[in-house]
Amino acid sequence: ELLRQIVITSSLTSIEDYVFNGCVSLKQITIPFSVTSIGDYAFKRCISLTQLLLPSSLKSIQKCTFYRCSSLIEIDIPKSVTSIEDGAFHKCSSLVKITIPSSVVFIGDYAFNECSSLVQISIPYHVTSIGFNTFYKCSSLRKITIPPTVKILRDNSFNGCSSLKEIIIPDSVISIGMNCFYECSKLEHLIIPRSVTLIGSGAFKGCTSLIHIQNDSLISLDEFM
């Protein structure tokens, strides 16, 4: 019989790496408040998982924990979580809404890579960088709020965010990575603050809808468009 639902006993404190990897029929799981850690790839390819409540005891979302959980629509991250590691929600293609609490200080590379249904997201204060490919091909993303604590937008951070119309780059940012906004084809308004001292190649290439650019940096944009 296919595994469809799991209730974990309250005596468990940890879900180890790969435990539910490939449980393709699993639709629902209840995780007790006793659990403080969920391992790498723990729910990898649980492609039928639609409901998940994370306990308020959880400290972090580990590497690729929910990789390819392609039926997961919405998730609230508890206020106990301080980090979202590399690839945590990579290819969660049905994820429309995710709430990231102010407790989170780190978001890793590929964290939301190819979350193609994600519409809106706010990055909490204390996060200092947007990692490599973090929002790569989030093609439904219309709005994102970047706090004035972020200093670095790394390579491909928003590459392929083809629904993004406007983004405010705070004046804390000093570096915009290679292909950072590549093919953000609906981006209309762009302000580059004076603080920016480095822009990677192709950073704004394919931004064909830009109607207003305010460049307060000392860098000419000609080679980056």
Side-chain angles (χ1 to χ4, degrees), residues 46-47 49 66-74 89-97 111-119 137-140:
C46 289
I47 60 174
L49 187 65
F66 300 104
Y67 177 74
R68 282 189 181 272
C69 288
S70 54
S71 294
L72 195 62
I73 296 173
E74 182 177 343
F89 297 95
H90 185 186
K91 293 191 175 183
C92 289
S93 55
S94 295
L95 188 65
V96 174
K97 183 180 178 182
F112 300 98
N113 187 1
E114 296 187 59
C115 289
S116 55
S117 297
L118 189 64
V119 174
K137 287 192 176 179
C138 288
S139 55
S140 297

Side-chain angles (χ1 to χ4, degrees), residues 11 17 30 35 45 53 110 118 121 137 140 151 155 211:
S11 60
D17 299 350
T30 301
V35 172
R45 292 195 309 111
L53 179 64
Y110 297 86
L118 189 64
I121 196 166
K137 287 192 176 179
S140 297
K151 295 181 179 180
D155 297 352
I211 57 177

Side-chain angles (χ1 to χ4, degrees), residues 11-224:
S11 60
L12 193 71
T13 59
S14 175
I15 297 174
E16 300 299 325
D17 299 350
Y18 294 93
V19 170
F20 299 106
N21 177 18
C23 291
V24 296
S25 297
L26 181 63
K27 290 186 175 182
Q28 186 175 353
I29 185 167
T30 301
I31 302 174
F33 291 113
S34 57
V35 172
T36 59
S37 67
I38 300 175
D40 298 349
Y41 300 92
F43 295 97
K44 178 184 175 182
R45 292 195 309 111
C46 289
I47 60 174
S48 298
L49 187 65
T50 57
Q51 296 182 26
L52 180 68
L53 179 64
L54 297 176
S56 58
S57 51
L58 194 64
K59 303 300 182 185
S60 69
I61 311 294
Q62 291 297 104
K63 181 180 179 182
C64 295
T65 297
F66 300 104
Y67 177 74
R68 282 189 181 272
C69 288
S70 54
S71 294
L72 195 62
I73 296 173
E74 182 177 343
I75 191 166
D76 286 336
I77 298 176
K79 294 179 181 179
S80 54
V81 170
T82 58
S83 68
I84 299 172
E85 299 295 332
D86 295 352
F89 297 95
H90 185 186
K91 293 191 175 183
C92 289
S93 55
S94 295
L95 188 65
V96 174
K97 183 180 178 182
I98 187 166
T99 302
I100 303 177
S102 59
S103 56
V104 171
V105 299
F106 175 79
I107 298 176
D109 302 337
Y110 297 86
F112 300 98
N113 187 1
E114 296 187 59
C115 289
S116 55
S117 297
L118 189 64
V119 174
Q120 181 175 335
I121 196 166
S122 292
I123 306 298
Y125 276 75
H126 308 303
V127 172
T128 59
S129 72
I130 309 296
F132 295 102
N133 294 66
T134 298
F135 297 100
Y136 176 77
K137 287 192 176 179
C138 288
S139 55
S140 297
L141 190 64
R142 297 174 188 170
K143 183 178 180 181
I144 185 164
T145 303
I146 301 175
T149 49
V150 170
K151 295 181 179 180
I152 298 172
L153 305 178
R154 300 196 184 275
D155 297 352
N156 297 300
S157 291
F158 301 98
N159 185 336
C161 291
S162 54
S163 295
L164 192 64
K165 286 190 173 183
E166 183 175 356
I167 191 164
I168 298 174
I169 301 174
D171 58 12
S172 55
V173 172
I174 60 173
S175 174
I176 298 173
M178 182 176 65
N179 295 330
C180 188
F181 295 96
Y182 181 79
E183 292 198 350
C184 289
S185 55
K186 290 187 179 178
L187 190 64
E188 296 178 351
H189 301 279
L190 179 65
I191 299 175
I192 301 175
R194 186 183 299 272
S195 57
V196 172
T197 59
L198 177 66
I199 300 176
S201 62
F204 305 103
K205 188 175 181 179
C207 295
T208 53
S209 296
L210 278 172
I211 57 177
H212 176 254
I213 303 174
Q214 180 178 324
N215 182 16
D216 294 331
S217 74
L218 299 177
I219 303 171
S220 171
L221 296 182
D222 294 343
E223 62 180 294
F224 306 108

